[in-house]
Amino acid sequence: MRITFYTTISKIKAGALEITGCSPNVSHLVIPSEIDGYPVISIAKTAFRNRQDLQSVELEEGIEVIGVESFEDCYQLKEVHLPDSLCRISTQAFQRCNSLEILEGSKNLQKIENSAFMDCKNLKTVHLKNNLMHLGSFAFAGCENLEDISMAHVPFYVGEDCFSRTEILCTDAYGLTTVQQKIVIGYRGDAAKVNLPEAAEVIAYGAFRDRYALQQVICSDRLKSIGSYAFSKCTQLRAVYQCKGLVRIYEYAFEQCTNLRMLPASELVEQLGTYAFVACKSLQNLLIYPKLAELSAGVFSDCSQVEQVYFPRGLNHIYSRAFEHCEAICKIQLPEELCTLDAYAFAGCSSLGEVYLPEQLKTMETEVFQNCQSLRSMTVKNWMYPMGFLGKGVCVTLFFPQSEQTAALFYSDDLARFCNGGRARLSLALYHAPQQIAFEEYDRCLELLVYEQDRILFVLNRLQYPAELSEEMEGSFREYLMEHAAKAVFWCAVWNEPERVQFLCENGFLTEDTLAEAITMVNEIQNLSVISILMDHKKTSVGTAAIDSLFCI
């Protein structure tokens, strides 16, 4: 005869119940799927902890979650019947249930959390079914008699010391420890090259952590996931090969692998954990996995030698600090489907000079480009997000598809001081749609700029990309640039922007006198590309001998 005992029930959401306890002196507990017309979907935290009367528990269909420490220290509990509806067994749910001998995983069980069955001393047999995705740290640690485990589906994630102090671990002569050769648990050898078993599907948490001599790992196409901290601080590791079936790389998997030359090659990767490749200082060209829709927080932060990044088309979200302190990146063209850029995503990219922001980008948090000291050009097609990422010396290029016009606007600290009021409300106007930009007000801010090079860049931008530039202001800017033409050439040479010098030559800003002055100034800093442009421009009016004398050839 089945008897169901319960006395304490609490609602956890509209129309659903959680069991929080039962009456005392119960040996065989059946928890129903429904009480008074309300479905039961979970067992509460510590609901039956330290109940020495319980010998068997049956959960009826409909229950989805066994809560944290629900049956912890139930020393007499021998049998647990789990429904197919169960999705999660929470942390320490059955810890130290010393009489439990067999665990039959339910059909839809996806997650067994940390220490769920830790120190179940008499647990001998575990059968895990198809949908299990996650085995938490220490899940079966200390199950000293565990000698048989069957897994219809090897979970993607296997946590730290999941099977420590059990009988199912096997260590080969080279120091590689596995579970049935399917899960790589650890490595304590000192070889430079390690070959994983052909059957290996998962590398568990911290499996190769701190193996300083390790240089190469040869996998098999069956490998589908690399766990958290799997290769953390393997400072000599150069590459992980032959992992075409790889789908997931978890957080900090390659942390501080300072000699890693390339990402593990797979076209199937769909998840990169936070800080997965942090401080991999030998990575140079990043071809981001094509199936990724998101780049997690800090995933490539402090990869200081990365020069180029190729983003997948379907990428729609870059999380905070994803590329922070990638100091060698010079140019970023973000994919057209990108919708969200989180704070500090490219902070500290000190060489980043040019950025393209796609039209679909709707959300951009502040300080995305904090301390990007070289950022001078930014192409923007959508202004429906706050512009708090702009900093000193940033040029923003605006493209207006309807009119096919372009405007390039320059910002400095001198302009930023006036953002909150007064005559420079232009910066506030830029927080909104392009048609609301106060171009006339912006153009009258030239006098606010303190430094000569800032004034020259301000004027050059508006003349080269003159969207909404009035005839009056165009005349004023041309007059200013004529007076400062030689200095303009010099600063363009300093910035290494020969295309701007070409613009000055083609639009009549350089007279014979100012050209000679410019040549002398550029000759001092030996910018050969600018010198070449000036020589070509001069050829029509003076001879080769005159040019040679100008350059002291």
Side-chain angles (χ1 to χ4, degrees), residues 1-6 22-23 25-32 54 56-58 60:
M1 178 179 181
R2 298 197 315 170
I3 301 176
T4 303
F5 296 88
Y6 57 88
C22 73
S23 54
N25 301 317
V26 176
S27 59
H28 303 287
L29 175 65
V30 179
I31 297 179
L54 286 179
S56 71
V57 173
E58 180 179 346
E60 291 189 349

Side-chain angles (χ1 to χ4, degrees), residues 211-407:
R211 294 295 95 194
Y212 304 119
L214 186 63
Q215 297 181 25
Q216 298 179 45
V217 176
I218 311 300
C219 306
S220 75
D221 291 344
R222 293 186 181 182
L223 187 73
K224 62 184 182 181
S225 71
I226 297 176
S228 305
Y229 297 93
F231 296 97
S232 174
K233 300 180 183 177
C234 292
T235 54
Q236 298 303 313
L237 182 66
R238 298 172 65 89
V240 175
Y241 296 108
Q242 297 179 16
C243 45
K244 294 180 180 179
L246 188 63
V247 176
R248 297 185 183 183
I249 300 174
Y250 287 91
E251 62 269 16
Y252 293 95
F254 292 90
E255 174 197 24
Q256 295 184 42
C257 291
T258 51
N259 271 292
L260 190 69
R261 299 293 199 270
M262 64 185 76
L263 305 184
S266 171
E267 295 186 0
L268 304 179
V269 173
E270 58 188 30
Q271 177 181 322
L272 283 183
T274 56
Y275 294 92
F277 293 92
V278 60
C280 290
K281 296 182 180 294
S282 294
L283 291 174
Q284 292 187 347
N285 296 320
L286 292 181
L287 181 61
I288 307 294
Y289 298 109
K291 286 194 173 184
L292 283 180
E294 299 178 344
L295 284 178
S296 301
V299 61
F300 294 107
S301 63
D302 204 23
C303 292
S304 55
Q305 297 302 312
V306 169
E307 297 177 354
Q308 293 182 308
V309 182
Y310 303 93
F311 295 96
R313 291 183 179 179
L315 188 68
N316 59 58
H317 194 157
I318 298 177
Y319 284 84
S320 62
R321 306 185 189 278
F323 294 91
E324 185 178 32
H325 298 308
C326 290
E327 297 169 352
I329 296 176
C330 295
K331 181 179 179 180
I332 289 291
Q333 179 156 350
L334 295 170
E336 291 296 336
E337 294 187 20
L338 187 72
C339 297
T340 304
L341 259 180
D342 284 358
Y344 308 105
F346 294 93
C349 294
S350 55
S351 297
L352 184 61
E354 184 177 346
V355 175
Y356 169 87
L357 300 178
E359 189 170 0
Q360 295 299 318
L361 186 61
K362 304 298 182 185
T363 302
M364 182 154 60
E365 297 182 1
T366 58
E367 299 176 314
V368 171
F369 299 98
Q370 184 190 53
N371 294 329
C372 293
Q373 300 170 351
S374 300
L375 186 56
R376 302 269 318 288
S377 178
M378 185 174 294
T379 301
V380 181
K381 289 190 176 184
N382 186 339
W383 284 78
M384 298 305 291
Y385 39 77
M387 298 302 293
F389 61 86
L390 290 177
K392 180 180 179 180
V394 175
C395 293
V396 180
T397 303
L398 297 155
F399 176 70
F400 306 96
Q402 293 181 345
S403 62
E404 295 186 353
Q405 286 187 309
T406 303

Side-chain angles (χ1 to χ4, degrees), residues 21 113 153-154 193 280 346 386 404 410 415 433 436 449 464 469 472 486 490 518 523:
E113 294 185 351
H153 171 86
V154 178
K193 180 179 178 181
C280 290
F346 294 93
E404 295 186 353
F410 171 72
L415 295 184
Q436 296 176 343
L449 297 172
Q464 281 188 275
L469 181 62
E472 176 189 356
F490 170 76
N523 194 35

Side-chain angles (χ1 to χ4, degrees), residues 40 44 101 370 406 413 432 483 545:
V40 177
E101 295 185 1
Q370 184 190 53
T406 303
D413 286 347
H432 305 292
E483 293 177 4

